[in-house]
Amino acid sequence: MHRLLLSKWTKAAVFIVCLVPLGALVERALHGGLGANPVEFVQHATGDWVLRFLIFTLAITPLRKILNLPELIRYRRMLGLFAFSYVCLHFLTYIGPDQSFDLAGIWKDIEKRRYITVGFLGFVLLIPLAITSTAGWVRRLGGKRWQMLHRAIYLTAICGVIHYYWLVKSDIREPLLYGAIVAILLLWRLGDRILKKRRLAPANAGTDRVPANVS
Ligand code: HEM
């Protein structure tokens, strides 16, 4: 398994799989399969995939620790960038075919409709993460600051779930399911941090007792 995850072919295969939702949309568009309201169809499909890719990205750390597969980290950046690409498509569908690039109208909509406001916030929060996703930016910011910044992906996922919850009219099962998954991932991260601090505390207490002049 470790070797499979380290293979560049596996990474290429995952990349292609991540393109399948987009390919399916293009295929439908070419064959008139987008239904009576194509804009709505694309908005819903891309919106769903943004949330799924955010969840895949957030699941990498728990999975690599639980399954003892550190190589999974190689896939996190790619999945995060796919979440960003799908949200760009989602946003473009909104500003273009839906709002006809009427910037004043779009801004009014962002201010007026709460589900648009929170979706927009989630999108804006992802922009610096996409920009700083390269190794060069990790070096420039330093590991700790980079990690702090990239925790914003949790806020984006929370905004995405609220956005979905607020926009559905009756059946709230799906947004609630996404919300539960995001909550579990968040709680796992919190639990992991608490355990790590507890494990480090006795070790630190031990080093505190070492006199300063002993090196
Ligand atoms: C991280 C950010 C975002 C996520 C995770 C997200 C996710 C979603 C999801 C899951 C849906 C519903 C899909 C379905 O019904 O199956 C949706 C719909 C929609 N989203 Fe987003 N979205 C985000 C950002 C945005 C932004 C920035 C805008 C526009 C400013 C936007 C506008 C819309 C619209 C107009 C719909 C369709 C609403 C309707 O049909 O009533 N979203 N989005």
Side-chain angles (χ1 to χ4, degrees):
M1 190 64 171
H2 297 278
R3 272 184 52 190
L4 186 73
L5 289 171
L6 283 173
S7 158
K8 64 175 187 220
W9 296 111
T10 311
K11 205 166 179 186
V14 173
F15 182 84
I16 290 166
V17 169
C18 292
L19 283 173
V20 169
L22 176 64
L25 269 181
V26 173
E27 203 263 338
R28 273 177 177 273
L30 293 176
H31 296 96
L34 294 177
N37 190 338
V39 175
E40 199 179 284
F41 190 97
V42 175
Q43 260 169 359
H44 287 206
T46 50
D48 285 338
W49 281 104
V50 180
L51 259 184
R52 287 172 195 153
F53 275 106
L54 286 171
I55 286 170
F56 297 157
T57 312
L58 291 175
I60 289 283
T61 297
L63 285 179
R64 57 183 263 258
K65 292 199 178 174
I66 293 165
L67 304 175
N68 195 20
L69 289 172
E71 302 83 2
L72 276 174
I73 197 72
R74 282 165 44 79
Y75 298 84
R76 194 172 60 181
R77 175 168 173 252
M78 180 165 69
L79 294 171
L81 286 175
F82 267 106
F84 183 67
S85 309
Y86 280 101
V87 81
C88 286
L89 206 64
H90 187 64
F91 185 58
L92 278 176
T93 317
Y94 167 77
I95 61 170
D98 192 352
Q99 300 288 318
S100 316
F101 297 105
D102 168 16
L103 293 185
I106 291 169
W107 190 246
K108 243 188 220 154
D109 207 21
I110 291 173
E111 282 181 339
K112 199 177 75 190
R113 287 202 282 177
R114 62 179 188 171
Y115 85 86
I116 296 284
T117 316
V118 75
F120 186 70
L121 177 65
F123 173 51
V124 169
L125 284 169
L126 265 191
I127 296 171
L129 307 201
I131 294 171
T132 60
S133 68
T134 60
W137 271 103
V138 181
R139 240 179 292 117
R140 237 168 283 167
L141 289 174
K144 265 240 154 71
R145 260 193 295 170
W146 187 89
Q147 237 177 356
M148 288 256 285
L149 174 69
H150 280 250
R151 279 194 196 125
I153 192 170
Y154 278 103
L155 291 179
T156 293
I158 292 168
C159 287
V161 169
I162 297 172
H163 168 73
Y164 194 6
Y165 181 78
W166 276 345
L167 74 85
V168 290
K169 271 118 203 156
S170 51
D171 190 355
I172 54 165
R173 276 175 303 177
E174 240 183 276
L176 283 187
L177 175 68
Y178 282 117
I181 298 171
V182 171
I184 289 168
L185 291 168
L186 248 171
L187 288 173
W188 183 91
R189 184 71 62 121
L190 214 68
D192 189 54
R193 284 195 67 178
I194 293 170
L195 284 179
K196 211 184 269 172
K197 267 199 186 143
R198 280 214 189 133
R199 254 181 267 132
L200 285 175
N204 287 344
T207 53
D208 285 349
R209 281 194 292 272
V210 177
N213 58 351
V214 177
S215 57

